[in-house]
């Protein structure tokens, strides 16, 4: 695999050849992330294009001291996909299905910005932070790699030079701990 850090540096200097090499070296992982998160080929194609446009424009913001080029690219691709998902949910909330006995009767649309809903969401977020804080650092790292960066268990095992079975077991135990810690609502 080519030196992604150098390719990012040259991409930041608007080197099209470096960007082409960077794309060729990273497209498969990015495509897997897009498909896994969006579950729709046309949406994944658009997200992939948007992500690499961002790479072209934001390559200068990569800092080696904060993580590997693979992690930076994976996070950028993942965030692009999540932005698309959020945007589609925002658009969907304005679509009101016209159902009911009376044609003039509109269905009730719940408002999730009420103080009660916001308080509940805040409490759930703090509970999640508390539960994550109780995990071992290695378990948090493996969970982040698998669920935040979108890496497969095999990729996580390979990057960390750990047996695949150990990675799967540690991630499964961490997920089970989080479910138990968060209670019934986590299932």
């Amino acid at each position: 695999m080519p030196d992604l850090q150098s390719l990012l540096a040259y991409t930041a200097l608007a080197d099209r050849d470096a960007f082409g090499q960077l794309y060729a070296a990273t497209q498969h992982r990015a495509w897997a992330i897009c498909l896994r998160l969006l579950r729709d080929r046309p949406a994944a194609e658009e997200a992939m294009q948007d992500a690499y446009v961002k790479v072209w424009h934001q390559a200068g913001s990569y800092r080696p001291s904060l993580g590997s080029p693979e992690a930076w690219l994976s996070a950028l691709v993942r965030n692009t996909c999540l932005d698309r998902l959020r945007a589609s949910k925002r658009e969907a909330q304005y679509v009101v299905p016209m159902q009911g006995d009376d044609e003039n009767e509109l269905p009730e649309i719940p408002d999730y910005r009420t103080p009660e809903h916001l308080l509940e969401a805040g409490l759930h977020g703090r509970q999640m932070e508390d539960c994550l804080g109780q995990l071992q650092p290695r378990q948090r790292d493996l969970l982040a790699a698998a669920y935040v960066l979108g890496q497969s268990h095999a990729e996580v095992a390979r990057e960390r030079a750990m047996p695949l079975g150990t990675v799967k077991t540690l991630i499964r135990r961490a997920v089970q701990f989080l479910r138990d810690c968060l209670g019934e609502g986590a299932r």
Side-chain angles (χ1 to χ4, degrees):
M1 176 175 263
D3 179 20
L4 297 182
Q5 190 170 333
S6 296
L7 292 176
L8 273 172
Y10 282 109
T11 298
L13 298 172
D15 183 328
R16 290 175 188 229
D17 290 333
F19 179 69
Q21 291 176 35
L22 180 70
Y23 177 79
T26 59
Q27 68 178 337
H28 297 292
R29 174 184 264 175
W31 180 243
I33 293 169
C34 290
L35 276 179
R36 189 177 305 139
L37 290 174
L38 297 173
R39 302 183 191 281
D40 176 61
R41 188 176 184 87
E45 289 171 353
E46 289 179 22
M48 179 96 159
Q49 181 176 352
D50 290 348
Y52 277 94
V53 168
K54 287 181 183 179
V55 168
W56 175 257
H57 291 290
Q58 298 176 15
S61 69
Y62 168 69
R63 298 290 176 259
S65 61
L66 299 178
S68 69
E70 295 91 350
W72 183 83
L73 284 162
S74 294
L76 189 142
V77 170
R78 178 184 173 279
N79 290 338
T80 301
C81 291
L82 293 177
D83 288 344
R84 285 189 154 277
L85 287 171
R86 286 184 200 109
S88 66
K89 285 181 183 177
R90 279 193 303 269
E91 291 170 7
Q93 78 180 1
Y94 296 111
V95 176
V96 179
M98 301 304 284
Q99 300 174 11
D101 298 333
D102 185 4
E103 289 181 16
N104 297 324
E105 181 183 328
L106 294 176
E108 185 177 325
I109 300 173
D111 183 4
Y112 292 106
R113 295 167 296 173
T114 63
E116 294 83 14
H117 280 101
L118 292 174
L119 176 63
E120 186 178 322
L123 291 174
H124 184 70
R126 279 192 287 282
Q127 184 182 8
M128 177 61 93
E129 286 179 20
D130 291 342
C131 292
L132 285 170
Q134 294 176 41
L135 290 172
Q136 297 294 323
R138 182 165 72 165
Q139 286 178 307
R140 281 194 305 270
D141 173 56
L142 296 175
L143 279 177
Y147 293 104
V148 175
L149 297 178
Q151 295 178 328
S152 69
H153 289 158
E155 291 171 327
V156 173
R158 191 172 41 255
E159 276 190 11
R160 286 157 182 78
M162 294 173 65
L164 178 60
T166 302
V167 168
K168 288 181 177 183
T169 299
L170 289 171
I171 290 174
R172 183 177 46 77
R173 287 179 182 165
V175 169
Q176 184 60 49
F177 172 81
L178 290 177
R179 283 183 177 151
D180 293 344
C181 183
L182 292 171
E184 290 298 315
R187 295 193 193 278

